[in-house]
Amino acid sequence: MKAIQNTASDLIYRVISQNIDPIGIYCFAEKKSSYTFNEPFQKPVQKEKHVHLYLLVIAEEFEDNIANDITDRIKSRSKGLITVTILLHSVRNIVKLYGDQKIFLCNIIKNSQVLFIDAEKHPKVTVDSEIRHVKSTTLYAGDRSNVTASIWDLIYNNDQYFSYEVRICSLHQIVEQTCLSLIRVFLGYTPNHFSMGYLFELCEYFTSITSDFFPRNSRDEKNMFRLLKKNPNTLRFSRTNSSNYLYYQLMEDRCRDFMKEAEVKIEKELERLHEIYQEVSLSA
């Protein structure tokens, strides 16, 4: 990964430090989008339009949902040119890391671009083995699959009628559980934040499956995503079929296909991880 521009790293550090006291800020991935600018009688010029950065931020302590505030402020301060996905962890959490979570985060600390580090306060973390914990990952993925299958059978393979509100919230849970499984299997990471947009961003770090099934480009696509990401706690105040769910059937079809495609990807990746584990075990 190329070093990000000083202006971008400075802005990121300023916004983060104005909200929390960071001990380490690491950029472990970036995605750029650009557009072609045409002037009469001139060669087309490629201009950078937007950069999305993936950050690990370590701090002593922080308030709940502060990562959302930081994300919004970076986007606002940069006028939309810079957006970020933040993995925010406390020092206490970093010190107690184990298993796949430790492997993933330690690799970020070791291999990514350092935007800021407080050497005196930063915890020392090392990994004894880079081999993924396949058994626990397989169990986790199996638990998520059982949840999604149970919800689907209860709501969609059932003659009983359920309101649109209940069905949409069920789709939300199915997609959330599927995303958590993908993230754990492919990255070895278990998030501590669970909004749909955030989980999609993490998935898009290693696969295009979420953007393939749930694109957010056109107005209709954005409306569909807005419907899908509704938090299930909205049921506390909802009335039966109080909303006009124009996109519901299309959304249901996409969620079903997404779940099936994700299951195939997860199974193939688990097989690959198991083969690596077997090879290492035999050579030990």
Side-chain angles (χ1 to χ4, degrees):
M1 184 185 74
K2 294 181 180 179
I4 62 175
Q5 296 180 1
N6 289 336
T7 52
S9 59
D10 289 345
L11 183 148
I12 289 167
Y13 172 73
R14 285 199 308 272
V15 173
I16 292 175
S17 61
Q18 287 168 2
N19 290 272
I20 60 175
D21 185 15
I23 290 174
I25 304 174
Y26 303 87
C27 179
F28 60 94
E30 67 177 10
K31 292 184 178 182
K32 292 182 179 180
S33 61
S34 59
Y35 65 97
T36 302
F37 182 73
N38 292 285
E39 289 187 359
F41 312 112
Q42 301 291 329
K43 291 183 178 180
V45 178
Q46 195 82 1
K47 293 197 173 183
E48 187 175 309
K49 183 180 180 182
H50 167 259
V51 61
H52 185 86
L53 304 174
Y54 288 83
L55 307 176
L56 168 63
V57 179
I58 302 171
E60 284 279 5
E61 56 184 21
F62 44 83
E63 297 177 0
D64 292 341
N65 297 320
I66 192 64
N68 285 339
D69 295 338
I70 293 172
T71 298
D72 291 341
R73 286 168 188 166
I74 290 174
K75 183 177 181 179
S76 175
R77 295 273 188 92
S78 67
K79 297 181 180 179
L81 295 178
I82 304 171
T83 55
V84 296
T85 299
I86 296 177
L87 281 57
L88 181 58
H89 289 268
S90 67
V91 172
R92 185 181 306 166
N93 177 261
I94 294 294
V95 170
K96 293 181 178 180
L97 285 174
Y98 65 93
D100 287 348
Q101 189 96 327
K102 184 174 185 178
I103 294 172
F104 177 65
L105 293 179
C106 285
N107 275 326
I108 291 177
I109 293 171
K110 180 181 177 182
N111 300 316
S112 61
Q113 181 183 353
V114 180
L115 303 187
F116 171 80
I117 187 169
D118 185 333
E120 292 184 359
K121 295 182 178 180
H122 198 289
K124 293 182 180 180
V125 287
T126 58
V127 178
D128 296 328
S129 173
E130 296 283 343
I131 303 303
R132 291 280 304 276
H133 296 68
V134 182
K135 183 177 179 179
S136 60
T137 301
T138 302
L139 290 172
Y140 182 91
D143 289 339
R144 305 286 69 74
S145 180
N146 288 338
V147 171
T148 57
S150 297
I151 295 174
W152 192 272
D153 286 342
L154 176 64
I155 303 298
Y156 304 103
N157 295 337
N158 194 323
D159 293 335
Q160 184 177 349
Y161 173 77
F162 293 95
S163 68
Y164 282 129
E165 284 76 17
V166 171
R167 283 187 277 175
I168 280 294
C169 287
S170 298
L171 292 179
H172 176 104
Q173 292 289 350
I174 287 169
V175 173
E176 176 188 288
Q177 292 288 313
T178 305
C179 286
L180 288 172
S181 187
L182 283 165
I183 294 164
R184 174 63 181 272
V185 169
F186 280 86
L187 298 183
Y189 182 62
T190 305
N192 53 15
H193 184 65
F194 306 98
S195 74
M196 191 66 70
Y198 183 76
L199 295 179
F200 275 24
E201 288 173 5
L202 286 180
C203 286
E204 286 160 12
Y205 170 58
F206 57 88
T207 180
S208 64
I209 186 172
T210 49
S211 55
D212 291 341
F213 283 94
F214 308 105
R216 284 97 71 198
N217 299 313
S218 69
R219 181 179 178 181
D220 284 343
E221 289 169 348
K222 290 177 181 178
N223 285 336
M224 287 181 66
F225 181 67
R226 200 171 292 119
L227 187 65
L228 178 64
K229 73 176 185 178
K230 286 182 67 175
N231 195 298
N233 64 23
T234 57
L235 286 175
R236 296 171 189 162
F237 313 103
S238 68
R239 289 175 290 133
T240 302
N241 296 334
S242 58
S243 302
N244 183 14
Y245 289 99
L246 296 174
Y247 309 102
Y248 175 76
Q249 190 57 55
L250 180 58
M251 179 64 73
E252 182 181 317
D253 293 341
R254 286 189 179 182
C255 289
R256 181 187 60 247
D257 294 342
F258 169 72
M259 181 173 62
K260 290 180 179 179
E261 180 67 21
E263 286 176 352
V264 173
K265 287 181 174 292
I266 289 167
E267 189 61 33
K268 287 182 178 179
E269 181 63 8
L270 286 173
E271 289 176 2
R272 188 186 73 85
L273 291 174
H274 185 70
E275 288 175 2
I276 294 173
Y277 179 80
Q278 291 286 80
E279 289 173 3
V280 172
S281 299
L282 291 173
S283 61

